[in-house]
Amino acid sequence: MGVETYLVCCDCFRGIRYLSKNCKERFVLIGDLLNQEQLDIALLQEVWCEKDFLFLKKKLSSIYPYSHYFKSGFIGSGLAVFSRHQFHDAFLYRYSLFGYPYMAQHGDWFGGKAVGKVLLNINGLKIHVFVTHLHAEYCREKDSYLPHRVVQAWELQQFIRHTSAAADVVILGGDLNMHPDDLGTRLLRNYTGLQDSFSETANFDGCEEGHTHISENPFTNTDNLVPFGGGIRIDYILFKGSGEVDVSCESLSTTKGPVPGHPFPYSDHEALTAEFLFTPTTKGNRCSERQSGCVAGICASMLES
């Protein structure tokens, strides 16, 4: 018996009103996209203004009746969740290190970097979904924020481990601002057991090598991407199952540049879409006796405005 679950992660909108280019238009387009896709969960990042969250909440209400905005710092964490399934709980944990207040031009400190979590119970399966956005790198050669990201990754894995011990399925979507082999990424995966959708799927369709931050994007600083051939992979959909259910990534894809019919993309990063297959294990008491299709599906869209 198999169960298909979908997760869409579109990395953060660069959504700072009056500063971001085409901000209003992109929020409208992202709302249109999410309504068209009819996902199960949408995970958003860099929705800095609550007015923009309320705009999306109204626009998406017919498809995604449940939503939560994670408040943190002076301008908010930027994290928000929209869902077709009811939340049983929602929680935010703010990292102990998240930049410097005197580095105002970077702004990470003012957002109060954090991880948001929502709990779903779909036909008896406990689904724990996390969304986060770690501190930006800015300069890899002289990275003064490396200790901050490593601490954030350490706290993130602790938060996931200690709050999801009873979960049947764990899904993490986020802009980790770390390369796949960076210390923080390895800490996160090794201590939680989370698997990387890009590495695990046999069906990938998207930017070369799964890049989510590419030089062709007009909202990004291309100078930092030149040493890496014009693209890096710093956005992830990570997942794991449990003794109740096995989880496999059936497919993964990314968006590829501008919004159709427009000269600009949805975000400064490419969106990710992952399709998962849930298969109850032989010892899964809560799933083994169900009929096929016992879980309707989970779609999470993580967007950086």
Side-chain angles (χ1 to χ4, degrees):
M1 179 179 67
V3 178
E4 288 188 341
T5 297
Y6 305 92
L7 174 71
V8 175
C9 272
C10 310
D11 184 43
C12 331
F13 310 110
R14 299 212 65 82
I16 305 175
R17 282 197 171 197
Y18 314 116
L19 296 179
S20 300
K21 297 179 180 178
N22 309 111
C23 186
K24 184 176 181 180
E25 297 93 327
R26 288 189 290 120
F27 272 113
V28 172
L29 291 170
I30 288 168
D32 292 340
L33 174 66
L34 295 180
N35 277 331
Q36 176 184 339
E37 295 297 322
Q38 297 191 16
L39 314 172
D40 289 279
I41 293 182
L43 307 177
L44 282 67
Q45 300 171 16
E46 290 200 10
V47 184
W48 300 121
C49 181
E50 191 169 5
K51 288 184 179 180
D52 292 323
F53 165 76
L54 295 175
F55 165 78
L56 287 174
K57 181 176 181 178
K58 181 178 180 180
K59 187 176 180 67
L60 301 175
S61 60
S62 61
I63 305 297
Y64 309 91
Y66 306 102
S67 61
H68 188 82
Y69 187 60
F70 295 97
K71 297 183 179 181
S72 178
F74 285 96
I75 59 175
S77 68
L79 306 175
V81 181
F82 295 88
S83 174
R84 294 170 61 186
H85 307 281
Q86 184 177 2
F87 300 144
H88 287 259
D89 203 354
F91 186 77
L92 176 137
Y93 172 78
R94 187 192 297 188
Y95 300 123
S96 59
L97 289 179
F98 43 86
Y100 306 105
Y102 58 83
M103 299 295 284
Q105 73 274 24
H106 290 161
D108 295 74
W109 184 86
F110 296 95
K113 293 292 186 179
V115 52
K117 175 180 181 177
V118 294
L119 304 183
L120 305 173
N121 191 315
I122 305 175
N123 289 355
L125 279 184
K126 297 177 181 178
I127 316 294
H128 292 215
V129 182
F130 299 82
V131 58
T132 193
H133 185 190
L134 303 191
H135 201 295
E137 187 174 70
Y138 296 111
C139 179
R140 194 164 180 83
E141 297 301 322
K142 298 180 180 179
D143 186 7
S144 59
Y145 297 115
L146 175 60
H148 293 238
R149 276 195 312 283
V150 172
V151 168
Q152 288 175 357
W154 179 257
E155 293 181 351
L156 175 58
Q157 64 83 16
Q158 285 189 314
F159 181 69
I160 292 173
R161 286 194 301 114
H162 293 308
T163 64
S164 59
D168 296 315
V169 178
V170 176
I171 297 173
L172 166 66
D175 175 2
L176 302 183
N177 275 311
M178 298 184 294
H179 296 220
D181 292 326
D182 283 356
L183 173 61
T185 311
R186 289 185 282 117
L187 281 174
L188 177 60
R189 292 184 56 197
N190 290 340
Y191 277 88
T192 61
L194 289 168
Q195 298 175 284
D196 186 352
S197 295
F198 179 76
S199 302
E200 297 298 323
T201 188
N203 184 14
F204 175 74
D205 178 28
C207 297
E208 183 180 359
E209 298 182 16
H211 292 160
T212 57
H213 195 31
I214 59 176
S215 58
E216 291 86 352
N217 192 300
F219 300 135
T220 193
N221 183 351
T222 59
D223 294 339
N224 294 331
L225 297 177
V226 172
F228 305 102
I232 56 178
R233 186 166 73 94
I234 57 176
D235 305 278
Y236 302 84
I237 302 175
L238 306 177
F239 67 95
K240 72 172 182 178
S242 64
E244 293 285 334
V245 60
D246 290 326
V247 183
S248 60
C249 184
E250 298 296 288
S251 66
L252 180 73
S253 62
T254 73
T255 53
K256 303 173 184 178
V259 179
H262 296 80
F264 51 82
Y266 292 106
S267 167
D268 64 329
H269 292 202
E270 298 303 315
L272 293 171
T273 305
E275 179 180 350
F276 295 108
L277 178 67
F278 289 0
T279 306
T281 65
T282 56
K283 59 180 179 180
N285 296 325
R286 292 194 294 274
C287 262
S288 59
E289 297 179 355
R290 295 201 192 97
Q291 298 178 352
S292 180
C294 62
V295 175
I298 297 178
C299 285
S301 176
M302 184 182 56
L303 299 163
E304 188 172 327
S305 25

